[in-house]
Every structure is written in structure tokens, then in C-alpha cells.
Amino acid sequence: MRPDQGVVMTSANDVDVVVAGAGFSGLYLVHRLREAGFSFRVLESGGDVGGTWYWNRYPGARCDIPTTDYTYSWDPELDREWTWSEKYATQPEILSYAQHVAKKHDMYPHITFNTRVKDAQWDDSTRKWTVRTETGEAITCRHYIMATGCLSVPKDPDIPGTENFAGGVYVTGRWPHEGVDFTGRRVAVIGTGSSGIQSIPLIAEQASQVTVFQRTPNFSVPAFNGPVSEDRKAPLLADRDAYRESAKWTRGGVPLPPSEVSALAVTPEQRREMFEAGWKRGELFSILGIFMDQSTNREANDLVSEMIREKIRATVKDPVTAELLCPKTYPFGTKRPCLDTNYFDTYNKPHVRLVDLNTSPIRTITSDGITFGDETVQFDDIVYATGFDAMTGAIVSVDITGRNGTTLKKKWEHGPLQYLGLMSTEFPNFFMITGPGSPSVLSNMMVSIEQHVDWVTDTLVHMRDNGLDMIEPTETAEAGWVRHGAEFADISLMKDTNSWYMGANVPGKPRVMLPYLGGVDGYRRACNEVVERGYLGFSMTGPGGKVCNDGVIRSVQPDVFIVLDMMSQMGLPPMESMTPEGAREFSNASGAMRPPGPEVGEMVDGTLPGADGSPLEYRLYRPATKGPHPVVVYFHGGGWVIGSHVSDEPMVRDLCVRSGAMFVSVNYRHAPEARFPAAAEDGYAALTWVNDHITELGGIPGKIAVAGWSAGGNVAAVAAQLARDNNGPALCGQLLLTPVTDGTKEYPSLSLNGEGYILTKSLMDWFWDNYADRKDRSHPKASPLKAASLAGLPPTTVVTAQFDPLRDEGNAYAEALREAGVKVTHIQAGGHIHTSISMVGVILSGEKHREKMAESIRGFFA
Ligand code: N01
């Protein structure tokens, strides 16, 4: 019996697991659940397997990941027995691949077709779900898995008058199975996303007239489709397992070495050459990853975007049409880019017209045409290529009611609250495959699907083996993962673009980054780590007992995590194991590899007299704006042992540009050659000298402040106290970034954050030992928190970082200043470490804190 005849092939109404969806996720679930010995039902609304490839039958529908990669890895034989006819296979070919797998592995009998899930209800007393179908079945199950796809619910038409049209109406995501013949017809196509871009050239081959209604032009690159190339086949044939394994540990799920070249660091000729090479490959991941910074740096992105626009202009003959087709309102890659075959060339055909909806909006659809701008045009057919209610649409379209009557739709009204994109609190035993919060649509779906199905099935087996029958994420874990996802979005260029990634295509949908931006590799590591750490963030109960290992899987800022991870892989020796000279050389060498920071107006080097009369080097950073400028005397970090007047240069330049103040960065004497109180007294001497020479230096008399980071924050704080106690200079403010304020006490953060966050407790001990004897550490020149009084100090901004060993002493200084009546701004940088805010051009999440620091500086001088 054929599956699409609507036959219910299975009838059990109480099973271990119900799965909604028989696309590639559902099929792999059949394999894993059956192999693991669970009883299960798969309910599928379509008439056959295939999911998205069952529904999306519009002309030109094909995948845009090279098809050899867009395949299952779990059955190695498939790679040998299935031959793809093209680099990017068409929908019918991919559908027959899904059917082949389902037949080969005898999956059809497990699937009930033409059966849509209507609602699902959790019962706390039986600890089971009841899943009801539109065909009237009610099935109870321990676990309910939605494998319903990310782009499976077409979004509702939001164009006036759609109901009026009496001609042919086609939705790309629900295309008639028998196909559509457009020969000789006048066709309107609304929408220029992937579906529009793939179908328009083929519709134009048949139709007598095609009018494309475009709201936002899309970046599209040629697929250069054809037979699967030898260089694509070779690595798979040479060592299939290694190839499949490497795919799992890439950002997008397709093996491709990540670029290590900045678009800003190469000559225009080199940039062009690299772009052309990426372009020729005809692969989305290639063109999205030509330069390491194109997805995070707007300037780098602009260079790539412009080169793509040049290609469009070179293809489309009519310059007005070409300009309309050039995306200019968002960075490349922040909306899903497309792969096409002859898309732009199609506009050179005389019977194809482009309408810009921004200048000629659709006023209404009539019974036989469309009224837009100031004209009405008659059409025989309208094709809606207007997209999907992506990622959450299919999930909330089923009425899912969890514990205490909460519906998922209600819970997610402001955005999908979930843990790892797999589960949601208050919805026990409910799993999503490639749900929001997982890399899903930003990855090769096959790789992501297999990872999710494996994770879920392995978890069910683990629970069964341990007598546990209920699993649910904790609130802390869920909130932590949602915050982590938002933090990733915050440092991406994607958050400002109106895309379906952000839910912006569906009116009223909350604006939240839906997929996880941390990559297939980063995400897999997080999921694996959750399991290795005893199902961190999950509570599991059952006859076997109760296990709850509450916690957050990624609590540092995403870019901080990446840097920490890279450093831990480098296996660097601890600085405290080096001599001071060795530590300085090491620190200078790593400093030389940093991005330099933004251009300032001028940099001038000089010397000034230190406390013992010997010369101290300084570097002056002058803003490009017209002077004179207010002046910040700056003291670098480095534990009084390492660093110099130029070692914090990227941050100093950044603060100079942002604040409009001039910075004088001073190379105070270092320990152990010059121990306490040399650095402290040099700090004050330098401040006094700069104040005395403020006019010659180009500063404004009376407009002077101090600033410093870490040990430099200590020097700055001491200088401010000495200025107060010695009748000047009168300071407008002090800015202390993660300062050392108290060497007499072990604050909890010193051990809590004492390892794994670059500045360690043992390194801090080494710094102190080099700088000051224990007996001296209670002196306020070493520990400014120990001053008899903090009253009368200038307005102060203290920045502390959540994962800094020095956090608590910074907090204590801010609190003590406030208690002493000083005006204090306390910036508490969540997810940051001691060094991260200073890492200009590397840690993007530090930028907003530096902006606040600059705002404080402007406030000092206002
Ligand atoms: O949908 P889309 P899609 N009035 O949302 C426009 C995957 N996919 O079906 O950009 C006028 O991208 C809308 O305009 P705007 C792939 O992940 C993969 O094309 O919102 N226009 C846009 O131009 C893809 O990204 C393949 O301003 C309206 C278009 O309609 C995802 O599916 C193939 C409008 C919708 O584009 C979705 O692609 C196809 C309105 N009221 C799809 N509403 C592969 O190759 C919307 N638009 C694997």
C-alpha cells in the first residue's frame, strides 16, 4: 500500500514516544528509537516522508548546501549506494533520497501519514503526554518530540486583498504536486527570498509576462551548479568517517577551513583575489567566510557587500533595475543569502519586470490583478514566495500545554524560552529537534538534525537505564541559555537587520534572534558538556530517584569564552613561572599581535620626571577634534611588573576617540626593580607634571582626570588620594577599570574566579610579591581602600567584571567611596573577565562598557 493513500499504518495509543514529523529528523528518530527499543509513533501531516522536501515543490526548488554534505551520515552505505546527479540536487531528487532511506530501513510502517497533531497536554499525575490529532486519535506517551522543521509553516498572507484574486494562487511552500504550467500566462511573483530567487528564472522561461514584487533585495550568488565536482567527492571517498567527523566540528556543518584573514588587513588587490576565489566556488559558506571579520565588523562586511553589488550591476543591463536589485540596507549575511541559477540575468529578459514595493506599495489585490503605486496590472496567476513563520511557527501552531496549564504559545509570547533549543521549563519530557536556540537554520541541517536526535535518544536511554522517567530543564539553566543566545546576537551584525532569523518577517512576532549563533561546533560542545557534567541544568526524576544538577552552561560572554578556549588550547605557561623579564617579553610579544585600536588625531612621545627625578616615558594621544582638550592621565595594567606606556594602547586609543579627551599614558617604574611605593609615587609625580604643563601639551587647564586599569587602576586611585591630600591637582574624576584596591584581604572572588580567567589568583600573588612586602600592603599607597577616609575624592567610575578575581575588591572600593559621599558610577560587566574589556577589536562585547567609560569621562569634564 502506498503511504500517501492516507493509511494509518500503526494504531498503538500508548507508547513511549510520539514524534511529530517525518522529515529528515523524524526518519532518523525512527532509526534511533527503534534501535534503542522504545515503542513509538510518528505522526506526519503530509502524505509521505520528506518534510520540507515533500511540501516545497516549486520550480527550481533545490538545496543550497552541496548535496554530498546534505546527507545522512548514520548509514555509511548510503554514501556508496546513492549518487547525486548534481552539486545542488533538486527537490524531487532529495525527496526520493528520503523515500529511499525510509524504504531501505523499513520505516514506513512506523509513520501515520496525513495526520496533523492538534494538541498535546502534559498530565503531572501520570507523568505522560496526551497527543491528539486532527483525525481524532488520542495517544498517550512518556515523551513527545516535535520534529516539525524550522521552515514548515508558511506565514499568513499579510497583503491587502489576497482573498479577492480569482486566478491561480500558488504558495511556494505548498506547491501543487502535479506542478504548474505557466506557459503563456501573466504571472506576479511576490517575494525575493530563496524561494522567489530559485523559482523566478524558471517561471520566466514559461510565462509570457513576469512581474516580480520586491520589498527587500537579497544578496544572491551563483550556484555554478553542475555535476558533483571531483574535489567535493574526493575527501568523502578518501576517508568518509574523518570527513563526517570533521563536519561535526565546523561552524556550519560543512568542512571548510575557517578564514584567518581580515578584510581590512589586505590590499584591495588581495581582497579582490580572495573574493573572486570564494565567488567561483559557488557555495554559501565559502562566500560567507572569505574573511574572518566579515560577519562581525561592519567595515569588513561593507567591502564584501560592495563586491557582490558590483557583480549584480555587471549582470543586469538596465542600470535602474540593477540598482533596485542591489541590497544596500543591511550587511551581507544578516539576512539568509541565496544561491541562484540565472536569477539576475532573468531581469534582462524583456518580459520580466521588477516592481519596487518601497516606492510602489501594493494597495490591493483585485479579482484579476494587483493595484500598486499608481497603476493596476492584470495577472493570470500570483505566486506567493513570502516565506515562513520560521523556527517557532510549527511548534506553537500545536496547542502544547505543560505543567500547571501553561501553554507554550503563552510562555513564548515574548520569544522562545528554552534550554539548548531542546527543551523548555514547565514542559517535561517535551523535546524539539533543531528548535530555536540551536544552530539549525544557520547550519547544514543534516548535521544538526543528527546531533539533536542523538542527544535526545541518548538522553532517553540514560533515563531508562537509571530509572528516571521525567526530565525538565531548570529555570536557571534556561535563563542562562537564553541570555547566552542574546549575548551572541548582541555582538553580531544580525541583530539590526529585519530578517526571519529575528522573527521580523511576521507582523507581531517578538524580535529575538531565533537560531544560536555559536556554530555547530560550539553548540555541540555545550550539549556534550551538559551531559558530561551530569546533565547540567536538568532535573530528572523517577522511581530511580531524583537528580538535579542546577547551573548555567555558558556564563561568560560568548566572545570571552572563545578567547579563553583558544588560550587554553595553546597551553601557555603561567606567567608566574617566568622571570619578570621573561614575563615582559612574553607580554610584549602577545601585545604585538593585537589589533591596534582606532586612529587618533596624533600620538606624541616624551618623557617626564618621576618621583625620584629619573625620566619616565609617556605617550600622548590627542583626539582628531579641534583642541585644546581635557586631559586624562592614564596608568597601564600589568601587576606593577609588566606593561608600559604603550601596552594598553588599543584601549587608550579607543577611549580617546570615544571620549574626545586627550590621554597621557605614563610608564611608571616597575617592580621588582623598583618596589613599592615607586609606582604609586611616580603616578602622583606624573599627574602633577602633566597638570603643570597642561597648556603646552594642548590640554585645558583645570580639566584633568586620572584613569587606570588593574594595577594601573591602583596607581590612579592612589594618585587621586595623594592629589586630594597634597592640595592638588584638583581632579575632575577618576576612572578605575578592574582596579587592585586592597592587598590585605582575600576577597571571595579571588578564589571563586582564581583560575581559568587569564588573571589567576597565583599570578596576582606573584604580582603582589614582586611589588610590596606584606607589611606594606595595608598602606593606602598600596591598598587605597585602606585610606583613613575616602571623602573628598573626585567623581569616580569603577568598572568591575563578573569573572575577575579582583571583582570584590573593586566592588568594595566603589561601595566605600559611595559611603564616603563620593559620586560613584559603578559599571558591573556581566560575563566579563579581568582583561576582556580592554581587548579592543577582539572582544566585541566589551565595547558597550568602554562606551560607558567614555561617557563617564565626558561627564567628568562636562
Ligand atoms: O522566504 P523569505 P523564502 N509584501 O522569508 C517577501 C529556506 N529555503 O521562502 O525581505 C511583500 O526568505 C520578503 O520581503 P522582506 C532558506 O533558509 C531554502 O524565500 O521581508 N513582500 C522576502 O523577499 C530561506 O531563507 C532553500 O522585506 C513580502 C520574501 O517575501 C527560507 O527557507 C530554498 C511580504 C520571503 O523570503 C525562507 O525562504 C528556499 C509582503 N507582505 C527556501 N511578506 C534552499 O535552497 C514577505 N515578503 C535550501
PDB file of all heavy atoms in Angstrom, residues 29 163 172 236 270 333 339 350 384 423 458 480 492 494 630 670 673 685 724 746 757 760 778 806:
ATOM      1  N   LEU A  29      14.868   9.723  13.804  1.00  0.00           N
ATOM      2  CA  LEU A  29      14.305   9.317  15.105  1.00  0.00           C
ATOM      3  C   LEU A  29      13.756   7.897  15.032  1.00  0.00           C
ATOM      4  O   LEU A  29      13.913   7.106  15.968  1.00  0.00           O
ATOM      5  CB  LEU A  29      13.205  10.294  15.541  1.00  0.00           C
ATOM      6  CG  LEU A  29      13.722  11.529  16.293  1.00  0.00           C
ATOM      7  CD1 LEU A  29      12.677  12.632  16.305  1.00  0.00           C
ATOM      8  CD2 LEU A  29      14.126  11.179  17.722  1.00  0.00           C
ATOM      9  N   GLU A 163      -7.646  37.709  -0.729  1.00  0.00           N
ATOM     10  CA  GLU A 163      -8.811  36.846  -0.882  1.00  0.00           C
ATOM     11  C   GLU A 163      -9.612  37.166  -2.159  1.00  0.00           C
ATOM     12  O   GLU A 163     -10.424  36.366  -2.613  1.00  0.00           O
ATOM     13  CB  GLU A 163      -9.723  36.938   0.360  1.00  0.00           C
ATOM     14  CG  GLU A 163     -10.413  38.278   0.603  1.00  0.00           C
ATOM     15  CD  GLU A 163      -9.493  39.414   1.095  1.00  0.00           C
ATOM     16  OE1 GLU A 163      -8.288  39.168   1.320  1.00  0.00           O
ATOM     17  OE2 GLU A 163      -9.985  40.546   1.209  1.00  0.00           O
ATOM     18  N   THR A 172       4.768  29.083  -2.541  1.00  0.00           N
ATOM     19  CA  THR A 172       5.943  28.233  -2.830  1.00  0.00           C
ATOM     20  C   THR A 172       6.063  27.063  -1.856  1.00  0.00           C
ATOM     21  O   THR A 172       6.430  25.953  -2.247  1.00  0.00           O
ATOM     22  CB  THR A 172       7.248  29.070  -2.809  1.00  0.00           C
ATOM     23  OG1 THR A 172       7.241  29.883  -1.639  1.00  0.00           O
ATOM     24  CG2 THR A 172       7.386  29.911  -4.047  1.00  0.00           C
ATOM     25  N   LEU A 236      35.420  12.769   0.735  1.00  0.00           N
ATOM     26  CA  LEU A 236      34.404  11.839   1.236  1.00  0.00           C
ATOM     27  C   LEU A 236      34.793  10.399   0.879  1.00  0.00           C
ATOM     28  O   LEU A 236      34.692   9.479   1.698  1.00  0.00           O
ATOM     29  CB  LEU A 236      33.049  12.205   0.625  1.00  0.00           C
ATOM     30  CG  LEU A 236      31.814  11.607   1.255  1.00  0.00           C
ATOM     31  CD1 LEU A 236      31.670  12.031   2.708  1.00  0.00           C
ATOM     32  CD2 LEU A 236      30.562  12.041   0.480  1.00  0.00           C
ATOM     33  N   GLN A 270      44.564  42.003  -3.132  1.00  0.00           N
ATOM     34  CA  GLN A 270      44.465  40.699  -2.439  1.00  0.00           C
ATOM     35  C   GLN A 270      43.012  40.410  -2.068  1.00  0.00           C
ATOM     36  O   GLN A 270      42.535  39.286  -2.168  1.00  0.00           O
ATOM     37  CB  GLN A 270      45.313  40.718  -1.156  1.00  0.00           C
ATOM     38  CG  GLN A 270      46.797  40.717  -1.428  1.00  0.00           C
ATOM     39  CD  GLN A 270      47.593  41.060  -0.170  1.00  0.00           C
ATOM     40  OE1 GLN A 270      47.182  41.860   0.659  1.00  0.00           O
ATOM     41  NE2 GLN A 270      48.743  40.431  -0.029  1.00  0.00           N
ATOM     42  N   GLY A 333      24.822  38.667   4.649  1.00  0.00           N
ATOM     43  CA  GLY A 333      24.831  37.544   5.589  1.00  0.00           C
ATOM     44  C   GLY A 333      23.901  37.741   6.770  1.00  0.00           C
ATOM     45  O   GLY A 333      23.665  36.797   7.524  1.00  0.00           O
ATOM     46  N   LEU A 339      21.472  31.206  -3.133  1.00  0.00           N
ATOM     47  CA  LEU A 339      22.278  30.675  -4.236  1.00  0.00           C
ATOM     48  C   LEU A 339      21.338  30.613  -5.428  1.00  0.00           C
ATOM     49  O   LEU A 339      20.211  30.134  -5.292  1.00  0.00           O
ATOM     50  CB  LEU A 339      22.712  29.251  -3.929  1.00  0.00           C
ATOM     51  CG  LEU A 339      24.056  28.974  -3.271  1.00  0.00           C
ATOM     52  CD1 LEU A 339      24.313  27.490  -3.322  1.00  0.00           C
ATOM     53  CD2 LEU A 339      25.202  29.730  -3.908  1.00  0.00           C
ATOM     54  N   PRO A 350      12.989  40.739 -21.803  1.00  0.00           N
ATOM     55  CA  PRO A 350      12.049  41.856 -21.998  1.00  0.00           C
ATOM     56  C   PRO A 350      10.700  41.642 -21.306  1.00  0.00           C
ATOM     57  O   PRO A 350      10.008  42.617 -20.993  1.00  0.00           O
ATOM     58  CB  PRO A 350      11.881  41.912 -23.520  1.00  0.00           C
ATOM     59  CG  PRO A 350      12.407  40.611 -24.043  1.00  0.00           C
ATOM     60  CD  PRO A 350      13.392  40.093 -23.055  1.00  0.00           C
ATOM     61  N   TYR A 384       2.968  33.407  -4.312  1.00  0.00           N
ATOM     62  CA  TYR A 384       3.433  33.971  -3.046  1.00  0.00           C
ATOM     63  C   TYR A 384       4.703  33.241  -2.621  1.00  0.00           C
ATOM     64  O   TYR A 384       4.662  32.056  -2.273  1.00  0.00           O
ATOM     65  CB  TYR A 384       2.370  33.813  -1.950  1.00  0.00           C
ATOM     66  CG  TYR A 384       1.150  34.679  -2.182  1.00  0.00           C
ATOM     67  CD1 TYR A 384      -0.008  34.163  -2.760  1.00  0.00           C
ATOM     68  CD2 TYR A 384       1.169  36.030  -1.821  1.00  0.00           C
ATOM     69  CE1 TYR A 384      -1.124  34.959  -2.980  1.00  0.00           C
ATOM     70  CE2 TYR A 384       0.056  36.840  -2.048  1.00  0.00           C
ATOM     71  CZ  TYR A 384      -1.074  36.303  -2.626  1.00  0.00           C
ATOM     72  OH  TYR A 384      -2.162  37.093  -2.847  1.00  0.00           O
ATOM     73  N   MET A 423      14.660  21.829  24.982  1.00  0.00           N
ATOM     74  CA  MET A 423      13.554  21.639  25.924  1.00  0.00           C
ATOM     75  C   MET A 423      13.164  22.987  26.520  1.00  0.00           C
ATOM     76  O   MET A 423      13.872  23.982  26.360  1.00  0.00           O
ATOM     77  CB  MET A 423      13.969  20.697  27.070  1.00  0.00           C
ATOM     78  CG  MET A 423      14.313  19.296  26.631  1.00  0.00           C
ATOM     79  SD  MET A 423      14.338  18.134  28.024  1.00  0.00           S
ATOM     80  CE  MET A 423      12.594  17.823  28.281  1.00  0.00           C
ATOM     81  N   ASP A 458      19.918   9.449  23.198  1.00  0.00           N
ATOM     82  CA  ASP A 458      20.863   9.046  24.246  1.00  0.00           C
ATOM     83  C   ASP A 458      20.334   9.429  25.626  1.00  0.00           C
ATOM     84  O   ASP A 458      20.513   8.688  26.599  1.00  0.00           O
ATOM     85  CB  ASP A 458      22.242   9.704  24.028  1.00  0.00           C
ATOM     86  CG  ASP A 458      22.946   9.181  22.780  1.00  0.00           C
ATOM     87  OD1 ASP A 458      22.497   8.145  22.229  1.00  0.00           O
ATOM     88  OD2 ASP A 458      23.932   9.808  22.336  1.00  0.00           O
ATOM     89  N   GLY A 480      19.864  31.166  31.605  1.00  0.00           N
ATOM     90  CA  GLY A 480      21.275  31.323  31.225  1.00  0.00           C
ATOM     91  C   GLY A 480      21.476  31.113  29.740  1.00  0.00           C
ATOM     92  O   GLY A 480      22.205  31.857  29.079  1.00  0.00           O
ATOM     93  N   SER A 492      26.719  40.435  17.118  1.00  0.00           N
ATOM     94  CA  SER A 492      26.672  40.111  15.691  1.00  0.00           C
ATOM     95  C   SER A 492      26.102  41.292  14.926  1.00  0.00           C
ATOM     96  O   SER A 492      25.482  42.186  15.515  1.00  0.00           O
ATOM     97  CB  SER A 492      25.792  38.883  15.445  1.00  0.00           C
ATOM     98  OG  SER A 492      24.443  39.291  15.410  1.00  0.00           O
ATOM     99  N   MET A 494      23.790  40.809  12.914  1.00  0.00           N
ATOM    100  CA  MET A 494      22.454  40.350  12.512  1.00  0.00           C
ATOM    101  C   MET A 494      21.317  41.027  13.257  1.00  0.00           C
ATOM    102  O   MET A 494      20.205  41.090  12.773  1.00  0.00           O
ATOM    103  CB  MET A 494      22.332  38.851  12.759  1.00  0.00           C
ATOM    104  CG  MET A 494      23.107  38.022  11.780  1.00  0.00           C
ATOM    105  SD  MET A 494      22.776  36.301  12.133  1.00  0.00           S
ATOM    106  CE  MET A 494      23.567  35.523  10.758  1.00  0.00           C
ATOM    107  N   PRO A 630      40.330  68.311  27.204  1.00  0.00           N
ATOM    108  CA  PRO A 630      40.503  67.867  28.581  1.00  0.00           C
ATOM    109  C   PRO A 630      41.513  66.711  28.610  1.00  0.00           C
ATOM    110  O   PRO A 630      41.696  66.026  27.600  1.00  0.00           O
ATOM    111  CB  PRO A 630      39.115  67.396  28.999  1.00  0.00           C
ATOM    112  CG  PRO A 630      38.331  67.258  27.758  1.00  0.00           C
ATOM    113  CD  PRO A 630      38.984  68.059  26.686  1.00  0.00           C
ATOM    114  N   HIS A 670      58.700  49.968  37.399  1.00  0.00           N
ATOM    115  CA  HIS A 670      58.143  48.634  37.626  1.00  0.00           C
ATOM    116  C   HIS A 670      58.892  47.857  38.691  1.00  0.00           C
ATOM    117  O   HIS A 670      60.087  48.072  38.905  1.00  0.00           O
ATOM    118  CB  HIS A 670      58.154  47.841  36.313  1.00  0.00           C
ATOM    119  CG  HIS A 670      57.235  48.419  35.284  1.00  0.00           C
ATOM    120  ND1 HIS A 670      57.639  48.803  34.038  1.00  0.00           N
ATOM    121  CD2 HIS A 670      55.916  48.732  35.353  1.00  0.00           C
ATOM    122  CE1 HIS A 670      56.621  49.309  33.380  1.00  0.00           C
ATOM    123  NE2 HIS A 670      55.562  49.286  34.155  1.00  0.00           N
ATOM    124  N   GLU A 673      62.297  45.626  40.188  1.00  0.00           N
ATOM    125  CA  GLU A 673      63.442  46.537  40.236  1.00  0.00           C
ATOM    126  C   GLU A 673      63.121  47.745  41.116  1.00  0.00           C
ATOM    127  O   GLU A 673      63.969  48.212  41.881  1.00  0.00           O
ATOM    128  CB  GLU A 673      63.804  46.996  38.817  1.00  0.00           C
ATOM    129  CG  GLU A 673      64.304  45.878  37.892  1.00  0.00           C
ATOM    130  CD  GLU A 673      63.166  45.095  37.228  1.00  0.00           C
ATOM    131  OE1 GLU A 673      61.991  45.290  37.609  1.00  0.00           O
ATOM    132  OE2 GLU A 673      63.453  44.258  36.351  1.00  0.00           O
ATOM    133  N   ALA A 685      53.602  61.874  40.754  1.00  0.00           N
ATOM    134  CA  ALA A 685      54.556  62.811  40.139  1.00  0.00           C
ATOM    135  C   ALA A 685      54.137  63.111  38.690  1.00  0.00           C
ATOM    136  O   ALA A 685      54.171  64.257  38.244  1.00  0.00           O
ATOM    137  CB  ALA A 685      55.963  62.211  40.172  1.00  0.00           C
ATOM    138  N   ARG A 724      44.375  64.714  46.490  1.00  0.00           N
ATOM    139  CA  ARG A 724      43.463  65.264  47.495  1.00  0.00           C
ATOM    140  C   ARG A 724      44.240  65.716  48.742  1.00  0.00           C
ATOM    141  O   ARG A 724      43.993  66.778  49.294  1.00  0.00           O
ATOM    142  CB  ARG A 724      42.432  64.185  47.875  1.00  0.00           C
ATOM    143  CG  ARG A 724      41.481  64.595  48.992  1.00  0.00           C
ATOM    144  CD  ARG A 724      40.796  63.398  49.615  1.00  0.00           C
ATOM    145  NE  ARG A 724      41.763  62.471  50.231  1.00  0.00           N
ATOM    146  CZ  ARG A 724      41.414  61.376  50.907  1.00  0.00           C
ATOM    147  NH1 ARG A 724      40.143  61.051  51.033  1.00  0.00           N
ATOM    148  NH2 ARG A 724      42.341  60.601  51.431  1.00  0.00           N
ATOM    149  N   GLU A 746      41.778  38.430  51.414  1.00  0.00           N
ATOM    150  CA  GLU A 746      41.375  37.527  50.319  1.00  0.00           C
ATOM    151  C   GLU A 746      39.868  37.616  50.125  1.00  0.00           C
ATOM    152  O   GLU A 746      39.106  36.975  50.846  1.00  0.00           O
ATOM    153  CB  GLU A 746      41.785  36.092  50.632  1.00  0.00           C
ATOM    154  CG  GLU A 746      43.277  35.910  50.610  1.00  0.00           C
ATOM    155  CD  GLU A 746      43.716  34.595  49.987  1.00  0.00           C
ATOM    156  OE1 GLU A 746      42.875  33.689  49.827  1.00  0.00           O
ATOM    157  OE2 GLU A 746      44.912  34.493  49.667  1.00  0.00           O
ATOM    158  N   TYR A 757      40.536  32.273  34.170  1.00  0.00           N
ATOM    159  CA  TYR A 757      40.085  33.530  33.562  1.00  0.00           C
ATOM    160  C   TYR A 757      41.254  34.486  33.315  1.00  0.00           C
ATOM    161  O   TYR A 757      41.164  35.681  33.533  1.00  0.00           O
ATOM    162  CB  TYR A 757      39.022  34.196  34.439  1.00  0.00           C
ATOM    163  CG  TYR A 757      37.793  33.332  34.670  1.00  0.00           C
ATOM    164  CD1 TYR A 757      37.497  32.839  35.934  1.00  0.00           C
ATOM    165  CD2 TYR A 757      36.950  33.005  33.612  1.00  0.00           C
ATOM    166  CE1 TYR A 757      36.362  32.052  36.146  1.00  0.00           C
ATOM    167  CE2 TYR A 757      35.833  32.217  33.808  1.00  0.00           C
ATOM    168  CZ  TYR A 757      35.545  31.744  35.076  1.00  0.00           C
ATOM    169  OH  TYR A 757      34.439  30.969  35.279  1.00  0.00           O
ATOM    170  N   THR A 760      44.980  34.937  37.223  1.00  0.00           N
ATOM    171  CA  THR A 760      44.678  33.903  38.226  1.00  0.00           C
ATOM    172  C   THR A 760      45.078  34.404  39.611  1.00  0.00           C
ATOM    173  O   THR A 760      45.797  35.397  39.753  1.00  0.00           O
ATOM    174  CB  THR A 760      45.478  32.621  37.931  1.00  0.00           C
ATOM    175  OG1 THR A 760      46.876  32.958  37.964  1.00  0.00           O
ATOM    176  CG2 THR A 760      45.128  32.039  36.574  1.00  0.00           C
ATOM    177  N   SER A 778      49.128  47.190  53.730  1.00  0.00           N
ATOM    178  CA  SER A 778      47.991  47.883  54.338  1.00  0.00           C
ATOM    179  C   SER A 778      48.138  49.407  54.212  1.00  0.00           C
ATOM    180  O   SER A 778      47.243  50.156  54.578  1.00  0.00           O
ATOM    181  CB  SER A 778      47.839  47.483  55.810  1.00  0.00           C
ATOM    182  OG  SER A 778      49.067  47.660  56.455  1.00  0.00           O
ATOM    183  N   LEU A 806      39.611  40.099  40.979  1.00  0.00           N
ATOM    184  CA  LEU A 806      39.627  41.383  41.686  1.00  0.00           C
ATOM    185  C   LEU A 806      38.239  42.010  41.820  1.00  0.00           C
ATOM    186  O   LEU A 806      38.112  43.141  42.289  1.00  0.00           O
ATOM    187  CB  LEU A 806      40.550  42.366  40.950  1.00  0.00           C
ATOM    188  CG  LEU A 806      41.991  41.906  40.694  1.00  0.00           C
ATOM    189  CD1 LEU A 806      42.800  43.015  40.049  1.00  0.00           C
ATOM    190  CD2 LEU A 806      42.654  41.483  42.002  1.00  0.00           C
TER     191      LEU A 806
END
